[in-house]
């Protein structure tokens, strides 16, 4: 059983990582739009991070991103689940609502990343979740920000 302090620290790390991710997505979107006059930039609040999987792929396609084929649906979906888990931790202290079936399936499929109290559908995260988020976000940014040769794509 993990202590309350450890649970709060891990939640804080998970929240911070995913909040920073959202801010970087906004910056990348703005930069892509600035470098491609045919693409209209919409602030993050218009994008709705809940639709991240869809709109970010479309943004990369419109900008003819050189690594678009390297960005798997699986990675985008996983990053989407991290955003949703962040919101569950921040706004509902880890309680998963009944209608959040995709998050519930993700948690059940990745039990090694979470502590789950099934009686109340409440999650807390384990250290392995933090490691996985860092690895997946690093993969994502490597694909989006660099060419296969290692050159920076947009800055």
């Amino acid at each position: 059983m993990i202590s309350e302090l450890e649970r709060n620290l891990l939640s804080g790390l998970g929240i911070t990582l995913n909040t920073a991710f959202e801010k970087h997505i906004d910056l990348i979107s703005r930069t892509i739009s600035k470098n491609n006059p045919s693409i209209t930039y919409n602030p993050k609040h218009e994008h709705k991070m809940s639709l991240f999987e869809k709109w970010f792929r479309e943004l990369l396609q419109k900008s003819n991103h050189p690594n678009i084929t390297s960005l798997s649906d699986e990675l985008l979906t996983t990053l989407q689940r991290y955003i949703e888990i962040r919101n569950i931790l921040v706004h509902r202290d880890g309680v998963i609502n009944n209608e959040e079936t995709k998050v519930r399936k993700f948690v059940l499929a990745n039990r090694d990343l979470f502590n789950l109290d099934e009686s109340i559908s409440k999650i807390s995260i384990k250290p392995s979740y933090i490691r996985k988020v860092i690895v997946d976000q690093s993969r994502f940014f490597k694909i989006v920000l660099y060419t296969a040769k290692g050159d920076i794509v947009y800055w």
Side-chain angles (χ1 to χ4, degrees), residues 59-72:
L59 179 69
L60 294 181
Q61 287 170 339
K62 287 179 185 176
S63 67
N64 295 317
H65 191 281
N67 297 336
I68 188 69
T69 58
S70 300
L71 192 58
S72 71

Side-chain angles (χ1 to χ4, degrees), residues 134-153:
I134 290 170
V135 166
D136 290 344
Q137 288 182 359
S138 296
R139 277 184 30 219
F140 171 81
F141 286 120
K142 185 176 179 184
I143 291 168
V144 171
L145 298 177
Y146 298 96
T147 65
K149 293 183 198 175
D151 298 325
I152 296 175
V153 176

Side-chain angles (χ1 to χ4, degrees), residues 18-46:
N18 288 302
T19 300
F21 177 75
E22 288 185 36
K23 295 205 177 298
H24 283 87
I25 292 301
D26 187 49
L27 177 62
I28 290 168
S29 301
R30 198 171 335 135
T31 303
I32 290 172
S33 300
K34 185 175 77 178
N35 293 334
N36 295 279
S38 63
I39 299 173
T40 305
Y41 169 73
N42 292 314
K44 183 183 99 176
H45 68 273
E46 289 182 28

Side-chain angles (χ1 to χ4, degrees), residues 66-116:
N67 297 336
I68 188 69
T69 58
S70 300
L71 192 58
S72 71
D73 290 339
E74 179 186 354
L75 180 57
L76 285 175
T77 299
T78 299
L79 294 170
Q80 178 68 50
R81 294 296 91 76
Y82 295 156
I83 292 165
E84 294 165 19
I85 289 165
R86 175 225 176 258
N87 291 339
I88 288 167
L89 292 170
V90 168
H91 301 293
R92 294 194 311 279
D93 196 31
V95 176
I96 303 172
N97 290 336
N98 288 335
E99 63 273 2
E100 293 171 315
T101 56
K102 291 178 182 177
V103 173
R104 184 179 309 282
K105 285 179 185 176
F106 182 81
V107 169
L108 292 173
N110 295 282
R111 286 183 177 263
D112 57 319
L113 304 178
F114 302 95
N115 296 304
L116 174 63

